[in-house]
Amino acid sequence: MKKSILSNCERNFINTAIQENTRLDGRDLFEARPVDIYFGSNWGSCVVSLGKTKAIAQVSCDIQQPKASRPNEGTIYVNVELNSIAAQQLENNRQSEAVILINRQLEKCIKDSRCIDLESLCIVADKKVWNLRLDINILNHDGNLIDCASIAALAALMHFHRPDVTSTGTNIIIHKFNEKDPLPLTLYFLPVCVSFITFESGITVMDPTFMEERVGVAQLTLGVNSYNELCSLHFDYLTKTLTVEDVISVASSYAAKYANKLIQQIKEVVTRDISLRFSKDSTYSCHIKEFIVPNKITSMHNDNISIKLNNWKICEESKSEVLENNDNEECNHIVKVGEGFAELIPDEAKVIGEGGHNAWCLSSEEEESDIEIIPVEKASNTETYKEESGDDSEEEVVEIIDSVDLV
């Protein structure tokens, strides 16, 4: 991974804002970003968006021989891919420390916690079992990759359905989906990861962004299930610091509440999608197309940072003056969210061929404004007519100009 440089001004600004209990995106200290989940056309395919951090997960299966130590259990393999499509500082074809760390945390949270009934994946003991493969690709990196990856992994495992199998002696028949309905995986509990970042001031925040991760001094990740049980724990000092705080006791209660809310949301989304698939509705289509944003042509490309302003006051007169002065210029705009609260939204990248100023040819409005018509009177080609109205004192003079010059 390439080294991402953070200036001292940015570091001091974020630390000062955190000391005043203020975050750049307007969230509270223990408030997470919104989560959106979309499913693809295949079983176990989903895309998860945690704020601007996005990940796609896919679960697949095949039949293999079991391990000698566990002859009646299936296997599961977790693979995480993180390349330059997610962020410019990442490198392709190179397994970085971040990828290894995310892999280990997911294996601890999902595989080592034994939330999946691996015995239900056995076809013939000591001969044939199902092997599950969970592939996760990070699409956009804006901080807190482990939480986004864990949500995508859990949603994909809950959504995945394997083919039904019939064993007749030494022969194994794998039924197609049109012959027999696919079978879901058996999950004992549903674990998710919840991450926190601690700053130099000792203040801890939940669901950090990419910039907050680079400023923080310690990172904590808790794997919690819906029964408020701890499935995994990872604590790491990012830099050398003298800050000593009991972060686990402070963050555990917030992690449990957020995990219950998040797992309930995943359950509802997965149940709705599965019911629509089995209803055989002709109008049903995969929802992954709703994830694609048409007005973005690059990843993580923003000239400015979106900052929500808590104390926002602007009068209508000054606002109209600003709009009048910047009619022909592309500028940021402020959207009023609530009373005394607003959001500064920068201009988004335009789609090629749509919007923006056209510098190649003149528009109709520009042509009318640039061309000036000046009438020129010529004595030989000018005729004057007088029309008498009912009142003799008023006369109307009409001049007909045969030719004009265009300048």
Side-chain angles (χ1 to χ4, degrees):
M1 180 183 294
K2 300 177 183 178
K3 187 176 181 180
S4 180
I5 300 175
L6 187 66
S7 64
N8 292 331
C9 294
E10 293 175 317
R11 187 181 302 274
N12 296 334
F13 177 78
I14 295 175
N15 285 324
T16 305
I18 292 298
Q19 292 178 3
E20 298 178 358
N21 296 333
T22 302
R23 303 176 73 174
L24 295 185
D25 50 6
R27 290 182 292 154
D28 295 334
L29 297 182
F30 292 97
E31 181 183 356
R33 290 172 291 182
V35 177
D36 296 323
I37 303 175
Y38 307 94
F39 295 99
S41 57
N42 298 329
W43 289 108
S45 175
C46 71
V47 178
V48 173
S49 173
L50 178 61
K52 292 183 179 180
T53 303
K54 299 176 177 59
I56 183 171
Q58 175 65 63
V59 180
S60 57
C61 63
D62 59 349
I63 297 177
Q64 295 182 1
Q65 289 186 354
K67 296 180 179 180
S69 59
R70 299 182 182 275
N72 61 338
E73 291 184 0
T75 57
I76 180 173
Y77 175 72
V78 180
N79 179 44
V80 179
E81 294 290 338
L82 183 62
N83 48 38
S84 59
I85 192 176
Q88 60 181 359
Q89 69 271 12
L90 302 176
E91 298 180 3
N92 294 328
N93 302 325
R94 181 174 296 181
Q95 195 173 18
S96 61
E97 296 180 359
V99 178
I100 298 174
L101 181 60
I102 295 173
N103 256 315
R104 290 178 179 176
Q105 293 186 44
L106 287 180
E107 288 180 354
K108 290 179 181 179
C109 183
I110 296 176
K111 184 178 178 180
D112 296 344
S113 64
R114 302 187 69 83
C115 66
I116 304 176
D117 184 10
L118 297 179
E119 293 184 357
S120 63
L121 301 177
C122 179
I123 301 174
V124 179
D126 204 13
K127 292 184 179 180
K128 299 293 181 182
V129 296
W130 284 108
N131 175 46
L132 299 179
R133 180 183 176 91
L134 175 60
D135 293 297
I136 301 173
N137 284 272
I138 306 299
L139 301 179
N140 196 26
H141 181 13
D142 190 28
N144 203 4
L145 296 180
I146 179 61
D147 286 17
C148 187
S150 67
I151 297 172
L154 180 60
L157 290 173
M158 294 177 62
H159 186 264
F160 178 71
H161 285 60
R162 63 174 179 83
D164 196 0
V165 177
T166 301
S167 176
T168 58
T170 58
N171 297 328
I172 297 176
I173 302 174
I174 302 176
H175 300 281
K176 298 180 179 180
F177 290 164
N178 55 4
E179 296 177 357
K180 286 188 177 181
D181 292 336
L183 302 177
L185 299 177
T186 303
L187 301 177
Y188 294 123
F189 50 87
L190 308 176
V192 291
C193 293
V194 184
S195 297
F196 300 86
I197 282 289
T198 303
F199 295 88
E200 294 179 354
S201 58
I203 300 177
T204 303
V205 300
M206 186 171 64
D207 187 16
T209 60
F210 178 60
M211 188 172 292
E212 291 175 346
E213 286 181 347
R214 292 188 292 173
V215 179
V217 297
Q219 183 178 13
L220 172 66
T221 301
L222 300 176
V224 187
N225 59 14
S226 56
Y227 302 105
N228 296 337
E229 297 175 347
L230 186 64
C231 302
S232 64
L233 186 146
H234 174 78
F235 183 80
D236 183 23
Y237 280 104
L238 303 178
T239 58
K240 295 181 180 180
T241 179
L242 299 177
T243 303
V244 179
E245 291 288 341
D246 190 4
V247 182
I248 299 178
S249 61
V250 175
S252 58
S253 59
Y254 292 98
K257 294 179 182 178
Y258 176 66
N260 288 329
K261 178 181 178 181
L262 186 59
I263 291 172
Q264 185 64 28
Q265 179 184 355
I266 297 175
K267 281 183 179 179
E268 294 176 357
V269 175
V270 172
T271 303
R272 187 188 314 115
D273 187 83
I274 293 176
S275 61
L276 290 175
R277 289 175 186 266
F278 280 110
S279 64
K280 297 180 181 180
D281 189 0
S282 59
T283 60
Y284 173 78
S285 60
C286 62
H287 297 156
I288 200 171
K289 63 182 181 180
E290 301 176 0
F291 170 77
I292 301 175
V293 181
N295 59 350
K296 290 289 184 182
I297 58 177
T298 54
S299 174
M300 296 291 293
H301 177 72
N302 282 326
D303 296 333
N304 300 322
I305 303 175
S306 298
I307 301 176
K308 290 186 177 180
L309 309 174
N310 292 326
N311 298 325
W312 176 71
K313 295 181 181 180
I314 182 171
C315 60
E316 297 296 333
E317 296 179 357
S318 60
K319 184 177 179 181
S320 60
E321 292 178 359
V322 172
L323 294 177
E324 290 177 358
N325 296 332
N326 298 329
D327 283 340
N328 299 326
E329 299 179 359
E330 294 183 359
C331 59
N332 302 334
H333 58 281
I334 300 176
V335 178
K336 187 174 182 181
V337 181
E339 186 66 27
F341 191 82
E343 181 178 0
L344 177 63
I345 301 177
D347 286 332
E348 298 177 347
K350 302 292 184 180
V351 178
I352 297 177
E354 295 183 4
H357 179 70
N358 187 2
W360 292 96
C361 59
L362 298 176
S363 62
S364 59
E365 297 179 356
E366 292 176 346
E367 291 177 355
E368 293 177 358
S369 60
D370 294 340
I371 297 175
E372 183 180 0
I373 301 176
I374 302 176
V376 178
E377 298 183 359
K378 293 184 179 180
S380 59
N381 297 329
T382 304
E383 298 179 359
T384 303
Y385 296 90
K386 293 183 180 180
E387 294 181 3
E388 297 181 357
S389 59
D391 188 4
D392 296 338
S393 62
E394 296 182 359
E395 294 182 355
E396 182 178 0
V397 179
V398 180
E399 293 185 357
I400 301 176
I401 302 174
D402 296 335
S403 64
V404 295
D405 293 336
L406 300 181
V407 180

